[in-house]
Amino acid sequence: MISLSHICKEYRVATRSEGMKAALKSFFKREYISVEALKDISFDIKRGEIVGYIGPNGAGKSTTVKILCGVLVPTSGNCSVLGLVPWENRLKHVSHIGVVFGQRSQLLWDIPVIDSFSLLKDIYRVDELSYKENLEELSYVFGLEEYLSIPVRQLSLGQRMRCEIAASMLHNPQILFLDEPTIGLDAVSQIAVRNYIRRINKEKDVTVLLTTHDMGDVEALAERVMLIGKGQILYDGSFSSMKSRYDTVNLITIEYDPTMHLKQPEHTALVSNENGRAILSVDTSKTAASSVIGQLSSSLWVKDISVQSRPIEEIIAEIYEEYEI
Amino acid sequence: MKKYLSLLKVRFLNNLQYRAAAIGGLVTQFFWGIMLVYIFRAFYGNSSVSDGMSFQELVTFVWLQQGFLSFIFLYDWDYELLEMITTGGICYELIRPVNLYSVWYVKLLSKRVARGLLCFAPVILLGFLMPEPYTMSLPYDAVALLLFVVTLLLSLLLIVAISMLIFISIFVTLSPVGSISIFATIGEFFAGMTIPIPFMPIWLQKVCMFLPFRYTADLPLRVYSGNIRAGDAVVGIAIQTVWIVGLVILGNLCMKRVTRLSMVQGG
Amino acid sequence: MKLYMKYVFLLLKSQMQYMSSFIMMVISQFFTPFALLAGIYFLFERFGSIGGYSMFEVFLCYSIIGMCFSIATCFARGFDVFANMIRTGSFDRILVRPRSTVLQILGGNLDLKRVGHFIHSILLLVIAIMQAPIDWSITKGIVLFNMIVSGTLIFSAVYLLQATAAFWTTEALEVANIFTHGIKEHASYPLDIFPKWITVFFTFIIPFGTVNYLPLEFILDRTEGSPLIYLLIPFAGGLFILPCLMFWQFGIKKYTSTGS
C-alpha cells in the first residue's frame, strides 16, 4: 500500500551568527549548511493499518508526510503509494488520499460546513450520487447533522475537527494522513475524535498514518508505532512491545502496619517510606512485580497495595533522551 | 530607556535579514525615481523654471524622496502589528513590563531606519550619476545640509507618531484596514508626496501648512535644495517639534484608553 | 470553470457576512484614487500639457490602467497574498488536492472591495471619453475593449510573477506591491516621454505599453497604417501571461524539491 525505501532528504539553510558585524556580513554574503532531514528512511504500511508516527519536533515527521503526499520530492530513494510515485503523479495520487492538518483548517471560515463540503465535492470531482451517500454515512458516523448548516467560525474546536476529518473523507480516499488531529482538544472531544478515526478505519477500511505528540492517541488507536528521531526510524513495531521494551520500571505503593519493619526485596529501590506508606520502584527487567509483592506480603502485614507502570509520556521522554534526539 | 534602545538594536538587526526586500526596494525606488523625473521633464516642456520650483530643485526633490522613502512615507503597514490588533493578540503584549506605545513606536522606527539606511546611499549615488539634467544636485550650502539632516530626523520621528495614531484608530474603530488606507493616502497628499506642494494651488498650500503632514516630507526635501530658506527651515523645525510632542502625547493617551477598553471588553 | 464559479459564489457568501465593513471598504476604494487624480489635475493646471497630450487624454489612459488594475487585483488577489500562503503552509493544502494550483489560488481569494476603484475608473473613463477630442469608431471601441482585457491579463501576470518569487523568498512581498502600485500610478503617461530603455522595458519585458501607449496613439489618431495592428497589439501584450505561467510551474518544481 505504502512503501518507502531508502528515502533521504536534505535541506539547505542559511546560517547566521550573533552581533551587528555578523548581521551586516550576512547581508552581503550568506553561508549555508545542508541539513539532513531524513536519513535513509524505509518502511511499509499495509492496507487497513493504523500507524502512529511519533517523534520530537523537527525529527522529520512532517517531511515524511509531505513526501508521501507528493508535496515534497526526496533527495534520493524510492517511494510508492497505491502503486504511484507521489511526486511524479501528484494530481492523480492526491485524489486517492485524504489529509488533515490539525492546525490548519480546510473549511471556509465564514460559511456553513455544508458549503465547504460541496466545494470539496467539486474539487475532487465526486459524482452526485456517491457524494450523497458519503455525506449521509459520514454525518451519521460523526454525528454531524446538526453542525452542517452552522458557519465554521461558530463551531467548537472538537466539532470542527470532526468536520475536518469528515471533509477529508468525502472523496473516499484509501489513505488518510492525520497530522495532530487531537491537538488542543478537551478530553471528551479527544476521545470522540479517536472513536471516529477507529470507526472509519474499520468500516471503510482506510489506512491511517497518524502523526502526533499525544501518546493517548497512539495508545488508543495505533497497533503499530514508528518512532523517528534525527531523521532516522528508531523503532518500528507494536505499541505494547515498545512499552515493555523501554518501560523497565514499575512503581509499587504499599500501606503497611507502621510498627513493622520493611525489608527491601532485591532489584528494588526505595522511593519513599513514611508512616507505613512506602513507594518502591521495581526493575522489571530483573524481577517481576508480582514476585516483589509476594515477598512484601509475606514479611509485612499489608493493608493496601497497588502497582503502577510509569506514564507513557515519561517513557517516551526517556527514549528521546536515550537517543539524544 | 535602555530596554527601548536594545529593542531598537534587535529589531534593526532583524530587519537587516531581509536582503531580498532591501535590494528589490532599492531597484524599484530607483526605477520610479527615473520615471518621475522624466514625467516632470515632459511637464516642464522646454522651460526649466516654474513658479515655486525649478526643474533642478525638483529633480533633487525626487531623488531625495526615493532615497529616503522609508523615512518619510506614511503608507507603511506593519503586518505584525495589524495582525495583533485584528486578532486581539495585542492584549498579550500588556503582560510585559513595558510601555506598549513605546515598544511599538520603537519597532516601527527601527524598521524604517533599517530600510532607510540600506536604501538611501545607493539611490542618492545613482541620482548623482544620472545624466544632465536629471542629476541630483549638491545641497544649497552647508547650513542647508545641516538643516536637512535635522529636519529629516525629526520628520522620521513625526511620521512614526502619525502612523501610530493610524494604528490606534484601527484598534479603536475595529474598522477594516482597507478603509483606513484612505487617510494614509490623504496624508501623503498633504505631505507633498503625490506632487510637491509648490505645484498645488495657493489655497491648498495654505491648508498644508496647518496639517502635520508636510513636516514629514515636504520640509526636509525642500530644505536641502534651498527651496525653503534657512530662516523658514528653523521655524519649520520648531513646528515639527511641537507636532511630535503633541502627537506622541496624544498617541500615549489614546493607547492607554484603548488598552483599558480592551481589558474591560476582554479583548 | 464550474468549480471557479462555485468558489466565487462561496466567497461572495462569506463576504456578505461582513456587509457594513465591506461597504466602507468599497467607499474608501472609490475615493482613495482621487488623491492621485487631484495631483495630476494640479500638474496640468500648472503646466498645461505633457509632451503634447492633454489632461483628458492622460485621464483616458489613467482610467484604463485603473480599471485593469482593479479587476486584476480583485481576481488575482490570491497571488498577491501568496507569500503568506507559503509562510503559513496553506500552499501544501493546495498541493494535496487534485486540481490545478492556479485555479485553486484564484478561487480561494477575491478582493471584492476593488469594486470601488473599478467604479471610480469607469466614471473617469466616461468623463475622459466625453471630454477628449476623439472621433470614435467601432474599431476604436474594440481596441479600447482589448486594452482593458489585455491590461488585466498583464497585471495578473505581474501578480503571478510576484507569487512565483515567493518560492525563493517570502520577503519581497512589499517590493512587488510597490511595483504594481507604481505601475498603476506612473504608467498613465504616454511612453514617448521616457528614454528609449524604459519604452523598451514597457513594450517587450513587462508589456504595459502594448495596452496603453500604442493603442492609445491609435485612438487619438496619431498613427498611420493599418488599424489591424492596433487591434492585435494588446493581445500580444496579453500573451505575456504565458511565460509567467511557465515560470510559475517551474517555481512549484523548485518548491517541491527543496521545501520551504
Side-chain angles (χ1 to χ4, degrees), chain A residues 127-140:
Chain A
D127 63 76
E128 201 65 45
L129 191 69
S130 41
Y131 171 70
K132 272 221 174 86
E133 275 175 17
N134 261 337
L135 186 62
E136 225 164 82
E137 191 184 346
L138 286 166
S139 45
Y140 174 70

Side-chain angles (χ1 to χ4, degrees), chain C residues 81-237:
Chain C
V81 298
F82 182 71
N84 270 332
M85 296 180 73
I86 293 234
R87 222 176 293 162
T88 60
S90 3
F91 186 57
D92 291 339
R93 158 78 56 209
I94 281 172
L95 284 176
V96 298
R97 284 175 174 171
R99 284 304 185 100
S100 103
T101 47
V102 173
L103 177 70
Q104 288 187 67
I105 291 168
L106 287 181
N109 298 273
L110 274 184
D111 195 6
L112 287 169
K113 65 172 182 286
R114 302 291 170 182
V115 171
H117 190 177
F118 183 72
I119 296 171
H120 167 95
S121 304
I122 287 195
L123 201 72
L124 192 65
L125 180 68
V126 172
I127 293 172
I129 286 176
M130 291 194 318
Q131 297 289 330
I134 299 169
D135 296 322
W136 285 97
S137 67
I138 294 174
T139 329
K140 284 183 179 176
I142 298 173
V143 169
L144 186 72
F145 182 74
N146 286 352
M147 286 161 81
I148 295 169
V149 171
S150 301
T152 307
L153 281 179
I154 296 176
F155 265 115
S156 312
V158 173
Y159 282 123
L160 188 59
L161 279 182
Q162 168 192 336
T164 309
F167 288 123
W168 281 268
T169 169
T170 53
E171 318 164 1
L173 185 70
E174 282 175 58
V175 176
N177 256 318
I178 299 175
F179 196 76
T180 40
H181 286 258
I183 290 171
K184 178 192 73 180
E185 294 185 6
H186 303 310
S188 314
Y189 298 98
L191 273 183
D192 57 1
I193 64 170
F194 296 114
K196 186 90 182 156
W197 65 271
I198 291 186
T199 319
V200 169
F201 180 82
F202 278 122
T203 310
F204 297 107
I205 298 177
I206 297 186
F208 276 102
T210 62
V211 296
N212 56 22
Y213 174 62
L214 294 172
L216 191 74
E217 294 284 280
F218 170 74
I219 288 179
L220 299 178
D221 290 315
R222 293 177 186 214
T223 56
E224 289 161 15
S226 159
L228 189 66
I229 301 171
Y230 294 95
L231 273 171
L232 293 178
I233 274 181
F235 284 119

Side-chain angles (χ1 to χ4, degrees), chain A residues 56-272:
Chain A
N57 292 328
K61 290 192 305 276
S62 62
T63 307
T64 319
V65 172
K66 278 186 182 175
I67 289 174
L68 288 172
C69 292
V71 173
L72 209 53
V73 184
T75 316
S76 65
N78 297 315
C79 172
S80 136
V81 179
L82 296 164
L84 294 172
V85 179
W87 56 89
E88 277 171 14
N89 307 289
R90 186 174 56 83
L91 288 186
K92 202 171 159 205
H93 165 71
V94 294
S95 54
H96 302 298
I97 61 169
V99 187
V100 175
F101 298 113
Q103 303 186 47
R104 271 178 260 133
S105 180
Q106 57 180 322
L107 306 169
L108 294 162
W109 192 241
D110 292 314
I111 52 174
V113 181
I114 187 75
D115 287 324
S116 294
F117 281 10
S118 95
L119 179 66
L120 287 169
K121 170 198 146 212
D122 286 351
I123 288 177
Y124 285 98
R125 298 192 172 90
V126 182
D127 63 76
E128 201 65 45
L129 191 69
S130 41
Y131 171 70
K132 272 221 174 86
E133 275 175 17
N134 261 337
L135 186 62
E136 225 164 82
E137 191 184 346
L138 286 166
S139 45
Y140 174 70
V141 171
F142 286 78
L144 295 180
E145 286 92 348
E146 44 187 317
Y147 306 136
L148 286 179
S149 54
I150 298 176
V152 175
R153 69 185 136 91
Q154 289 168 14
L155 294 177
S156 76
L157 195 55
Q159 292 162 348
R160 213 190 76 205
M161 192 50 69
R162 276 143 76 178
C163 295
E164 294 277 354
I165 297 175
S168 60
M169 290 297 300
L170 284 170
H171 57 289
N172 271 328
Q174 289 166 271
I175 302 175
L176 194 53
F177 295 99
L178 299 174
D179 183 26
E180 312 238 8
T182 60
I183 195 160
L185 299 188
D186 62 56
V188 178
S189 311
Q190 258 182 3
I191 290 169
V193 166
R194 283 175 198 155
N195 282 336
Y196 297 128
I197 296 172
R198 199 177 302 119
R199 278 184 75 171
I200 49 173
N201 167 254
K202 287 267 149 17
E203 286 169 22
K204 307 201 106 186
D205 200 20
V206 175
T207 312
V208 178
L209 182 71
L210 175 75
T211 51
T212 185
H213 286 296
D214 189 318
M215 289 307 138
D217 288 349
V218 180
E219 196 159 17
L221 291 171
E223 307 247 292
R224 177 177 165 197
V225 180
M226 294 190 298
L227 172 70
I228 186 173
K230 284 187 180 164
Q232 283 170 311
I233 301 272
L234 301 174
Y235 176 85
D236 184 353
S238 80
F239 183 73
S240 49
S241 74
M242 177 175 84
K243 217 173 142 181
S244 58
R245 183 163 137 197
Y246 293 99
D247 186 15
T248 54
V249 177
N250 276 355
L251 287 181
I252 297 180
T253 309
I254 58 166
E255 279 178 41
Y256 60 97
D257 185 346
T259 58
M260 300 176 87
H261 175 69
L262 177 79
K263 192 174 145 262
Q264 199 181 326
E266 279 216 308
H267 307 301
T268 64
L270 203 56
V271 180
S272 70

Side-chain angles (χ1 to χ4, degrees), chain B residues 34-257:
Chain B
I34 290 180
M35 294 211 41
L36 275 173
V37 292
Y38 278 101
I39 289 170
F40 277 108
R41 175 79 257 170
F43 266 122
Y44 274 85
N46 292 325
S47 72
S48 68
V49 192
S50 158
D51 311 341
M53 219 173 188
S54 72
F55 185 65
Q56 202 51 50
E57 286 168 345
L58 178 96
V59 168
T60 305
F61 182 96
V62 168
W63 289 123
L64 288 175
Q65 186 190 32
Q66 295 301 316
F68 289 100
L69 198 61
S70 67
F71 276 27
I72 56 181
F73 81 129
L74 187 53
Y75 214 124
D76 175 32
W77 298 127
D78 188 88
Y79 290 96
E80 195 187 340
L81 182 50
L82 278 178
E83 201 178 298
M84 277 197 156
I85 291 172
T86 45
T87 59
I90 201 154
C91 291
Y92 296 108
E93 291 280 296
L94 293 174
I95 58 178
R96 294 189 197 156
V98 286
N99 178 333
L100 194 54
Y101 183 89
S102 314
V103 168
W104 278 108
Y105 191 95
V106 166
K107 281 189 182 177
L108 294 179
L109 185 67
S110 64
K111 191 172 164 191
R112 285 175 183 270
V113 170
R115 249 194 288 164
L117 289 184
L118 288 174
C119 266
F120 91 93
V123 173
I124 301 291
L125 183 69
L126 286 167
F128 276 116
L129 293 177
M130 284 289 287
E132 284 288 344
Y134 307 106
T135 327
M136 155 128 195
S137 15
L138 291 167
Y140 182 71
D141 54 21
V143 178
L145 181 65
L146 180 73
L147 287 170
F148 166 72
V149 173
V150 174
T151 48
L152 185 69
L153 292 179
L154 287 174
S155 63
L156 178 62
L157 296 179
L158 181 56
I159 196 102
V160 178
I162 295 177
S163 19
M164 282 299 293
L165 278 178
I166 294 184
F167 284 123
I168 294 169
S169 71
I170 295 177
F171 198 21
V172 176
T173 56
L174 287 178
S175 48
V177 180
S179 62
I180 292 290
S181 69
I182 189 164
F183 296 108
T185 308
I186 292 170
E188 298 223 308
F189 185 82
F190 285 117
M193 294 289 282
T194 313
I195 57 167
I197 288 180
F199 292 142
M200 293 179 188
I202 301 295
W203 61 271
L204 205 56
Q205 294 191 22
K206 282 190 179 135
V207 175
C208 292
M209 300 301 283
F210 287 102
L211 296 168
F213 303 108
R214 76 164 281 253
Y215 298 98
T216 66
D218 175 66
L219 180 69
L221 299 188
R222 279 165 61 204
V223 162
Y224 177 93
S225 61
N227 188 275
I228 291 177
R229 294 304 163 129
D232 293 338
V234 172
V235 176
I237 289 174
I239 300 176
Q240 270 186 316
T241 317
V242 171
W243 274 116
I244 294 170
V245 173
L247 292 180
V248 167
I249 291 173
L250 181 66
N252 259 303
L253 288 177
C254 292
M255 190 67 126
K256 279 219 178 74
R257 251 192 81 82

